[in-house]
């Protein structure tokens, strides 16, 4: 270092020029990063506390006295609080990382400009590299963006039972790129978030157990409906089920008519993930109640006739080639035809 350089470094004008601007740029970048991170932290904290996720704006006293299960089902439950905390933590981490990278890149570029570096070739190379990486990693970017929006919108969380199209089951892990779903048979599905076009969640808000009950065609529909509704109300009054069933059960009426039966539909609104257990309990009670009234689930309108003459069975149009080959003695015919022949 020669004498002229030393003399220049010793002058106040030098330190008030480029070094001061570089220091101000670094300080500004640092302060901007701190401010942005603080704002992100406050917003995500509000999300975790549930202040921005209320289903209603009613007075707390009115909400406490309300019988509408929307007021207490999800927003005030521990599960909802944990999900909000997880969601806010994930979103906050991603946003803080993005803000830090962007502000650091801008700060470095501004410092290099102050130091009289020619950024033209660097920016051109970065642009070309960005385009190439963009084409090669567009699927990866799509996965991350989709995962970010899924987490932000709380489409599903760990423990939810979901239908993602090709895969359905219980969610075991939610990441920004991949979601892991455990199927009923134990298969663990790894689903890329960018490939998820629809999400069916059976665990949010409330669920509904829907039962289609076939009864004999000549039954009194009104009386059978009353019996079904009475049985469902008894189920709801049980101590073990009272907290699981949210509303009074409803008989929606005749759902289908066939030659063998009348199908009556029953609907019971339950807490999330309890619809299957309630439906199983309801079927057991219905079986006992219908049997007590002498009502049986109708059989298919078929009669199985067994005989020793394959040719007779074939003549009746019911035996198959396999039956005839083994001395077939089984034929399925209409009961009316069987009654006329016997």
């Amino acid at each position: 270092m020669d004498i002229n350089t030393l003399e220049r470094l010793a002058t106040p004008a030098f330190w008030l020029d480029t070094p001061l601007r570089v220091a101000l740029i670094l300080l500004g970048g640092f302060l901007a990063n701190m401010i942005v991170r603080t704002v992100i932290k406050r917003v995500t904290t509000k999300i975790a506390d549930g202040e921005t996720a209320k289903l209603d704006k009613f007075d707390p006293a009115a909400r406490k006295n309300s019988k509408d299960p929307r007021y207490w089902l999800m927003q005030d439950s521990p599960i909802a609080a944990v999900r909000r905390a997880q969601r806010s933590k994930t979103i906050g981490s991603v946003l803080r990382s993005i803000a830090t990278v962007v502000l650091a890149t801008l700060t470095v570029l501004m410092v290099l400009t102050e130091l009289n570096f020619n950024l033209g070739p660097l920016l051109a190379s970065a642009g070309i590299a960005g385009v190439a990486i963009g084409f090669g990693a567009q699927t990866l970017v799509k996965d991350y963006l989709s995962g970010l929006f899924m987490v932000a919108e709380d489409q599903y969380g760990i423990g939810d039972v979901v239908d993602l199209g090709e895969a359905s089951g219980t969610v075991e892990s939610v990441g920004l790129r991949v979601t892991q779903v455990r199927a009923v048979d134990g298969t663990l599905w790894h689903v890329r978030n960018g490939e998820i076009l629809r999400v069916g969640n059976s665990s949010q808000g409330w669920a509904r157990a829907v039962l289609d009950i076939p009864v004999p065609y000549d039954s009194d529909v009104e009386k059978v409906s009353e019996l079904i509704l009475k049985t469902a109300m008894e189920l709801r009054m049980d101590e073990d089920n009272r907290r699981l069933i949210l509303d009074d059960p409803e008989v929606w009426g005749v759902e289908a008519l066939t030659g063998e039966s009348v199908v009556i539909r029953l609907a019971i609104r339950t807490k999330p993930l309890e619809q299957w257990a309630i439906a199983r309990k309801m079927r057991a009670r219905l079986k006992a109640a219908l049997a007590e009234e002498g009502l049986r689930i109708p059989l298919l309108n078929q009669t199985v006739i067994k005989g020793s003459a394959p040719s007779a069975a074939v003549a009746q149009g019911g035996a198959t080639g396999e039956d005839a080959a083994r001395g077939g003695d089984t034929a399925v015919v209409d009961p009316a035809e069987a009654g006329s022949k016997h």
Side-chain angles (χ1 to χ4, degrees), residues 28-41:
F30 176 78
L31 293 177
N33 187 34
M34 293 296 296
I35 292 172
V36 171
R37 292 173 69 92
T38 301
V39 171
I40 293 174
K41 183 178 180 180

Side-chain angles (χ1 to χ4, degrees), residues 21-202:
R21 290 199 298 271
V22 170
L24 291 176
I25 291 172
L26 294 175
L27 180 61
F30 176 78
L31 293 177
N33 187 34
M34 293 296 296
I35 292 172
V36 171
R37 292 173 69 92
T38 301
V39 171
I40 293 174
K41 183 178 180 180
R42 289 185 177 180
V43 172
T44 54
T45 300
K46 289 183 177 181
I47 295 175
D49 293 338
E51 296 179 8
T52 60
K54 296 296 183 183
L55 289 177
D56 55 83
K57 300 297 182 181
F58 290 93
D59 180 73
R63 293 178 65 249
K64 184 177 180 181
N65 297 327
S66 176
K67 296 181 180 180
D68 192 337
R70 291 182 309 161
Y71 296 137
W72 51 267
L73 183 59
M74 285 297 293
Q75 292 303 309
D76 297 332
S77 66
I79 297 177
V82 172
R83 288 180 59 140
R84 286 195 300 266
Q86 292 177 345
R87 188 166 72 254
S88 64
K89 181 179 179 181
T90 302
I91 296 173
S93 176
V94 173
L95 293 180
R96 285 193 295 269
S97 299
I98 294 176
T100 300
V101 171
V102 171
L103 291 174
T105 302
L106 292 177
T107 301
V108 170
L109 292 177
M110 293 175 67
V111 169
L112 292 178
T113 301
E114 290 296 330
L115 296 178
N116 296 323
F117 281 91
N118 185 10
L119 300 181
L122 177 62
L123 294 178
S125 302
I128 296 174
V131 171
I133 294 175
F135 278 111
Q138 56 182 341
T139 302
L140 185 63
V141 174
K142 179 182 178 182
D143 293 340
Y144 274 102
L145 289 177
S146 298
L148 180 61
F149 281 110
M150 287 177 183
V151 172
E153 296 170 359
D154 193 24
Q155 296 182 13
Y156 52 78
I158 297 176
D160 286 355
V161 176
V162 298
D163 181 358
L164 304 181
E166 294 295 330
S168 60
T170 304
V171 178
E172 291 196 352
S173 175
V174 179
L176 291 181
R177 192 181 72 86
V178 173
T179 296
Q180 296 181 3
V181 177
R182 180 78 64 176
V184 177
D185 61 358
T187 303
L188 182 63
W189 293 92
H190 299 260
V191 185
R192 287 173 35 215
N193 294 331
E195 297 297 322
I196 299 176
L197 301 180
R198 62 175 178 84
V199 177
N201 195 327
S202 302

